[in-house]
Amino acid sequence: MQITRQADAPDEPFDMDQGAHFDGDVRRRDFGAIPTPSGTAFAVTFAPGARTHWHAHPDGQVLYVTDGEGRVGSRDGSVTPIHIGDLVYAAPGEEHWHGAATTEPVTHVALSFGATAWAERVEG
Protein backbone atom coordinates (compact mmCIF):
# COMPACT_ATOMS: atom_id res chain seq x y z
CA MET A 1 0.00 0.00 0.00
CA GLN A 2 1.23 3.48 -0.83
CA ILE A 3 0.03 6.62 0.98
CA THR A 4 0.98 10.14 -0.06
CA ARG A 5 0.06 12.91 2.35
CA GLN A 6 -1.15 16.20 0.89
CA ALA A 7 1.43 17.99 3.05
CA ASP A 8 4.16 15.98 1.29
CA ALA A 9 2.95 16.99 -2.18
CA PRO A 10 4.11 20.58 -2.66
CA ASP A 11 1.94 23.11 -4.47
CA GLU A 12 3.80 24.12 -7.67
CA PRO A 13 3.22 25.33 -11.25
CA PHE A 14 1.96 22.44 -13.38
CA ASP A 15 4.88 22.55 -15.81
CA MET A 16 7.69 24.87 -16.78
CA ASP A 17 6.15 25.73 -20.17
CA GLN A 18 2.47 26.06 -19.32
CA GLY A 19 1.72 27.74 -22.64
CA ALA A 20 2.42 24.47 -24.43
CA HIS A 21 -0.45 22.64 -22.71
CA PHE A 22 -2.53 25.14 -20.71
CA ASP A 23 -4.06 28.59 -21.02
CA GLY A 24 -4.02 30.57 -17.77
CA ASP A 25 -2.52 29.85 -14.36
CA VAL A 26 -2.54 26.12 -13.47
CA ARG A 27 -0.97 24.61 -10.35
CA ARG A 28 -0.62 21.02 -9.10
CA ARG A 29 0.16 18.75 -6.18
CA ASP A 30 1.94 15.64 -7.47
CA PHE A 31 0.85 12.62 -5.44
CA GLY A 32 3.20 10.35 -7.40
CA ALA A 33 2.85 7.54 -9.86
CA ILE A 34 0.00 5.07 -9.75
CA PRO A 35 1.55 1.61 -10.02
CA THR A 36 0.08 0.89 -13.43
CA PRO A 37 1.70 1.62 -16.77
CA SER A 38 2.15 5.41 -16.88
CA GLY A 39 -0.48 6.22 -14.24
CA THR A 40 -0.33 9.59 -12.48
CA ALA A 41 -2.26 11.30 -9.70
CA PHE A 42 -2.40 15.09 -9.37
CA ALA A 43 -4.53 17.61 -7.53
CA VAL A 44 -4.79 20.39 -10.13
CA THR A 45 -6.00 23.94 -9.49
CA PHE A 46 -7.07 26.16 -12.39
CA ALA A 47 -7.43 29.92 -11.93
CA PRO A 48 -10.68 31.44 -13.30
CA GLY A 49 -10.78 30.91 -17.07
CA ALA A 50 -7.69 28.66 -17.18
CA ARG A 51 -7.94 25.33 -19.00
CA THR A 52 -5.99 22.59 -20.69
CA HIS A 53 -5.44 22.30 -24.41
CA TRP A 54 -7.10 19.41 -26.23
CA HIS A 55 -5.61 16.10 -25.10
CA ALA A 56 -6.29 12.40 -24.63
CA HIS A 57 -4.98 9.55 -22.49
CA PRO A 58 -4.54 6.10 -24.07
CA ASP A 59 -6.01 4.36 -21.02
CA GLY A 60 -8.43 7.09 -19.92
CA GLN A 61 -8.65 9.76 -17.25
CA VAL A 62 -10.78 10.31 -14.14
CA LEU A 63 -11.36 13.77 -12.65
CA TYR A 64 -12.92 14.30 -9.22
CA VAL A 65 -13.87 17.90 -8.40
CA THR A 66 -12.88 18.88 -4.85
CA ASP A 67 -13.37 22.66 -4.91
CA GLY A 68 -14.87 25.39 -7.07
CA GLU A 69 -16.57 25.28 -10.44
CA GLY A 70 -15.16 24.03 -13.72
CA ARG A 71 -15.96 22.98 -17.26
CA VAL A 72 -15.15 20.03 -19.48
CA GLY A 73 -15.36 19.97 -23.25
CA SER A 74 -15.48 17.22 -25.84
CA ARG A 75 -14.86 17.13 -29.59
CA ASP A 76 -18.60 17.01 -30.27
CA GLY A 77 -18.67 20.68 -29.18
CA SER A 78 -20.36 20.16 -25.83
CA VAL A 79 -19.12 22.09 -22.80
CA THR A 80 -20.45 20.85 -19.46
CA PRO A 81 -20.19 22.61 -16.07
CA ILE A 82 -18.64 20.55 -13.25
CA HIS A 83 -19.02 21.12 -9.51
CA ILE A 84 -17.72 19.85 -6.15
CA GLY A 85 -18.31 16.12 -5.90
CA ASP A 86 -18.65 15.51 -9.65
CA LEU A 87 -16.69 12.65 -11.18
CA VAL A 88 -15.70 12.91 -14.85
CA TYR A 89 -14.53 9.91 -16.87
CA ALA A 90 -12.79 10.42 -20.22
CA ALA A 91 -12.62 7.08 -22.02
CA PRO A 92 -9.34 5.76 -23.45
CA GLY A 93 -8.29 7.94 -26.39
CA GLU A 94 -11.19 10.42 -25.97
CA GLU A 95 -10.02 13.95 -26.83
CA HIS A 96 -11.20 16.48 -24.28
CA TRP A 97 -10.23 19.57 -22.28
CA HIS A 98 -10.98 20.70 -18.75
CA GLY A 99 -10.51 23.76 -16.59
CA ALA A 100 -12.11 26.42 -14.44
CA ALA A 101 -15.33 28.32 -14.96
CA THR A 102 -14.77 31.78 -16.43
CA THR A 103 -15.29 33.52 -13.06
CA GLU A 104 -14.42 30.80 -10.50
CA PRO A 105 -11.34 28.62 -9.88
CA VAL A 106 -11.61 24.84 -9.73
CA THR A 107 -9.52 22.08 -8.13
CA HIS A 108 -9.83 18.46 -9.16
CA VAL A 109 -7.95 15.26 -8.55
CA ALA A 110 -6.80 13.88 -11.90
CA LEU A 111 -6.04 10.19 -12.27
CA SER A 112 -4.51 9.76 -15.71
CA PHE A 113 -3.57 6.48 -17.35
CA GLY A 114 -1.01 6.47 -20.15
CA ALA A 115 1.14 9.28 -21.50
CA THR A 116 -0.87 12.41 -22.32
CA ALA A 117 -1.27 13.00 -26.06
CA TRP A 118 -1.44 16.80 -26.34
CA ALA A 119 -3.15 18.53 -29.24
CA GLU A 120 -3.97 22.12 -30.18
CA ARG A 121 -5.23 25.00 -28.03
CA VAL A 122 -9.00 25.17 -27.51
CA GLU A 123 -10.50 27.93 -29.64
CA GLY A 124 -13.23 30.17 -28.32
Side-chain angles (χ1 to χ4, degrees):
M1 182 176 295
Q2 174 182 323
I3 299 172
T4 302
R5 306 281 182 210
Q6 181 171 323
D8 295 333
D11 182 40
E12 60 192 7
F14 198 91
D15 66 11
M16 300 306 287
D17 185 14
Q18 285 199 22
H21 305 299
F22 302 93
D23 289 319
D25 182 34
V26 181
R27 302 188 65 78
R28 73 175 184 181
R29 287 187 184 274
D30 185 349
F31 289 97
I34 298 171
T36 63
S38 301
T40 60
F42 295 113
V44 185
T45 300
F46 293 82
R51 63 182 169 196
T52 67
H53 290 188
W54 288 106
H55 65 285
H57 305 273
D59 295 315
Q61 184 179 50
V62 175
L63 307 174
Y64 179 74
V65 181
T66 59
D67 194 39
E69 296 181 25
R71 301 177 297 158
V72 294
S74 64
R75 284 289 188 183
D76 68 6
S78 65
V79 177
T80 304
I82 54 176
H83 307 279
I84 295 171
D86 289 351
L87 184 90
V88 177
Y89 172 66
E94 180 180 6
E95 288 194 333
H96 64 284
W97 61 265
H98 42 95
T102 56
T103 60
E104 297 289 328
V106 71
T107 299
H108 61 57
V109 173
L111 305 176
S112 304
F113 304 97
T116 304
W118 291 102
E120 75 276 10
R121 171 177 274 128
V122 177
E123 296 298 325

